[in-house]
Amino acid sequence: RRGWDFVSTGRGDVPWEECFRALNHIGYDGPISIEWEDAGMDRLHGAPEALAYIRSLNAITPPDAAFDAAFSSE
């Protein structure tokens, strides 16, 4: 009973390209984690579609490090 629902990445109102451009602008080169939640879409369809959408954005410069490496204590 909230005023919004989670939707698959790329199907909602989040300006993803602007977000990545802003991160690139400030020189951020760390990991990026995007949570996928959409109760109205089968995850076997929605998650790969969302990943393909994010990868299609030409504003993204992938980090050199893996996500878990950013939290390494070594």
Side-chain angles (χ1 to χ4, degrees):
R1 293 189 304 240
R2 58 183 180 252
W4 50 270
D5 288 312
F6 292 110
V7 295
S8 189
T9 304
R11 293 182 175 258
D13 297 329
V14 175
W16 289 104
E17 187 167 354
E18 291 177 31
C19 294
F20 286 111
R21 285 182 182 273
L23 291 172
N24 288 338
H25 180 73
I26 64 168
Y28 180 77
D29 63 354
I32 296 170
S33 177
I34 299 172
E35 184 176 340
W36 181 85
E37 291 186 33
D38 189 332
M41 182 181 286
D42 182 270
R43 66 188 171 136
L44 296 178
H45 172 78
E49 177 189 79
L51 178 60
Y53 171 76
I54 290 296
R55 285 184 171 162
S56 75
L57 295 175
N58 63 6
I60 298 174
T61 302
D64 293 328
F67 179 78
D68 293 343
F71 302 102
S72 175
S73 60
E74 296 179 27

